[in-house]
Amino acid sequence: DAEITQSPRHKITETGRQVTLACHQTWNHNNMFWYRQDLGHGLRLIHYSYGVHDTNKGEVSDGYSVSRSNTEDLPLTLESAASSQTSVYFCASSESQGMETQYFGPGTRLLVL
Amino acid sequence: GEDVEQSLFLSVREGDSSVINCTYTDSSSTYLYWYKQEPGAGLQLLTYIFSNMDMKQDQRLTVLLNKKDKHLSLRIADTQTGDSAIYFCAETIQGGKLIFGQGTELSVKP
């Protein structure tokens, strides 16, 4: 069955380190999204992509970057991790802009010490 | 800017109906969604409603949309302990992006 996966599921890192979170989908969806989930804020959009080599900033993009070299993957990089980036990160994908239903991965819990 | 508001908590007894409410701001939203998140898990698509509909029913779930008031509700009939979760309302905005509410934590007491 087609699916969306994230790795690692849990990560502990230190302030200042570079961290990359992986997201992989097998639906061949054009659109992919990264969110962070924090208490009291719901889900906030970090970056998104509408296709290969396309990337866009979301609401809370500072300190994060993404790249889209193929349809299946959208890795999220924290260039220099900060304690404020401790959060749960979710990746999602959708088929096209005309059908916005997004399907979510299981999430990555990141703790920055 | 766009905003989606939900109450944070709802507590019901098993067998009762639950009603979770949501207000949104973007009148051009084409779809409005309800997602369910169980503890430690990702978001699971529960149901959605197209903006030209007033109501959608799917087994125990009923979604009501009042476009004039920009109000969306999710009714769960015969609520079970397995329905305990966080429920997120989301509206679509330009470019297929979603704006989420803060989530409503539903607690079902036996």
Side-chain angles (χ1 to χ4, degrees), chain B residues 13-30:
Chain B
R13 293 236 170 251
E14 193 173 18
D16 289 348
S17 291
S18 306
V19 179
I20 302 171
N21 295 300
C22 168
T23 57
Y24 61 96
T25 56
D26 191 339
S27 58
S28 64
S29 293
T30 49

Side-chain angles (χ1 to χ4, degrees), chain A residues 94-107:
Chain A
S94 66
E95 186 174 354
S96 67
Q97 290 187 45
M99 182 60 196
E100 294 96 340
T101 301
Q102 294 185 18
Y103 299 92
F104 283 77

Side-chain angles (χ1 to χ4, degrees), chain B residues 74-90:
Chain B
L74 173 70
R75 179 177 179 269
I76 305 172
D78 187 24
T79 312
Q80 303 297 306
T81 55
D83 294 323
S84 293
I86 301 176
Y87 291 81
F88 290 93
C89 166

Side-chain angles (χ1 to χ4, degrees), chain A residues 28-104:
Chain A
N28 204 36
H29 283 170
N30 288 321
N31 304 338
M32 295 184 73
F33 305 84
W34 273 105
Y35 296 88
R36 59 178 288 173
Q37 183 180 23
D38 304 288
L39 275 175
H41 290 282
L43 278 80
R44 291 181 291 174
L45 184 62
I46 305 172
H47 281 286
Y48 58 101
S49 167
Y50 290 137
V52 177
H53 302 310
D54 176 74
T55 61
N56 304 279
K57 293 181 179 181
E59 179 189 0
V60 289
S61 60
D62 287 349
Y64 303 94
S65 63
V66 292
S67 60
R68 187 91 179 269
S69 59
N70 58 54
T71 301
E72 296 80 15
D73 299 289
L74 186 71
L76 177 72
T77 297
L78 286 67
E79 302 293 343
S80 176
S83 57
S84 60
Q85 294 176 307
T86 292
S87 187
V88 182
Y89 291 87
F90 289 100
C91 178
S93 70
S94 66
E95 186 174 354
S96 67
Q97 290 187 45
M99 182 60 196
E100 294 96 340
T101 301
Q102 294 185 18
Y103 299 92
F104 283 77

